Every structure is written in structure tokens, then in C-alpha cells.
Amino acid sequence: MDNQLMSLKILLPFGVFSDVKEVSRMVMQTSEGSFGLLPHRLDCVAALQPGIFSYEIASGDTIYLAIDEGILVKAGSLVKLSVRNAIAGLSLGKLHEAVQKQFLELTESERNVRSVMAKMEVGLLLSLGKFQKES
């Protein structure tokens, strides 16, 4: 492989979404904003937020993916992207809509579930405390 290019492996919880050779650059969203990655960048790790992930291959074509939150690890010329979900094959506008509808709503529903679980845990702990005092 040319030293000017990277390999990109996109992993989902249930398998490999994509394995791409000859990637010349990537752009993704982090909590600190947009983040670009070129082949000679030092090794790094980045926490990704739901958004549009793009990469350019050696032929000059740019591929866009809608991704859920995840993590990116660059080690040498290999970049691994591990995300909860990814969508490809749509126009850029439709990908943006998919991020807004699917990934951000999922995050909101997860927050609701966690809130309910926390309330249930507190109730259980209070009940156990009362039970212990009665014994």
C-alpha cells in the first residue's frame, strides 16, 4: 500500500460494515467539532458523535455515511471506526435527515430509559433500606 494512503475499517456491534483500502482523507464530528484526518497525522483516538462521516478514496470519490456515536482509532496507516450504527447509499441531504431522525431520537429514548432505570434503582434501594431497618 502507498504510504500516502490509509485503510479504513468500519465496525458495528454485530459485524464489519465496510473495509476500505486507499483512503486519502476523512472528516468526522466529535464533541469538539469537525475533525479531519490525513495519512501522516500522528496516531490518535477520537470520540465520535452522531453525524456525517466522509472519506475520500484514491480515485477522488468522496463517500458519505451517517454514523451513530462511536470511537475512531488511528494506528499507523490503519484507521478503525467502531460505531453503533451506520447508513450508506443515500444522498447527503437524506443522510443528514437520517442522523436527525434515527440516531438523535435513539439517544433521547436511551436517556428516558436510563432515567426510568435510575428511579427504579432508587426505589429498590429505599425498599431494601426499610426492609433492613425492620429486621
Side-chain angles (χ1 to χ4, degrees):
M1 179 190 312
D2 187 351
N3 289 335
Q4 300 295 320
L5 301 173
M6 301 173 282
S7 293
L8 171 65
K9 190 173 228 178
I10 302 170
L11 307 169
L12 299 176
F14 51 84
V16 177
F17 179 80
S18 182
D19 193 357
V20 184
K21 308 290 185 212
E22 299 184 343
V23 176
S24 58
R25 67 180 181 90
M26 301 171 206
V27 178
M28 71 268 341
Q29 298 294 320
T30 69
S31 60
E32 301 298 317
S34 187
F35 178 71
L37 195 59
L38 296 171
H40 293 294
R41 182 178 172 87
L42 293 176
D43 294 351
C44 63
V45 175
L48 304 177
Q49 292 195 336
I52 303 297
F53 176 83
S54 66
Y55 61 93
E56 185 177 297
I57 55 177
S59 66
D61 293 331
T62 300
I63 291 85
Y64 298 96
L65 303 171
I67 61 166
D68 201 351
E69 63 187 3
I71 189 162
L72 176 135
V73 177
K74 181 184 183 300
S77 64
L78 177 61
V79 178
K80 290 186 180 179
L81 178 68
S82 179
V83 294
R84 288 184 177 185
N85 198 2
I87 301 172
L90 302 174
S91 70
L92 192 53
K94 292 196 184 276
L95 283 175
H96 182 70
E97 288 176 25
V99 168
Q100 293 297 321
K101 288 181 181 175
Q102 187 174 0
F103 300 152
L104 296 179
E105 285 178 10
L106 180 62
T107 302
E108 183 62 33
S109 67
E110 286 177 348
R111 284 187 199 132
N112 292 337
V113 167
R114 288 181 183 161
S115 174
V116 168
M117 291 298 292
K119 289 176 184 176
M120 290 174 59
E121 289 172 358
V122 168
L124 177 64
L125 291 174
L126 290 173
S127 296
L128 288 174
K130 288 178 185 178
F131 178 73
Q132 185 176 16
K133 287 180 183 178
E134 292 175 1
S135 317

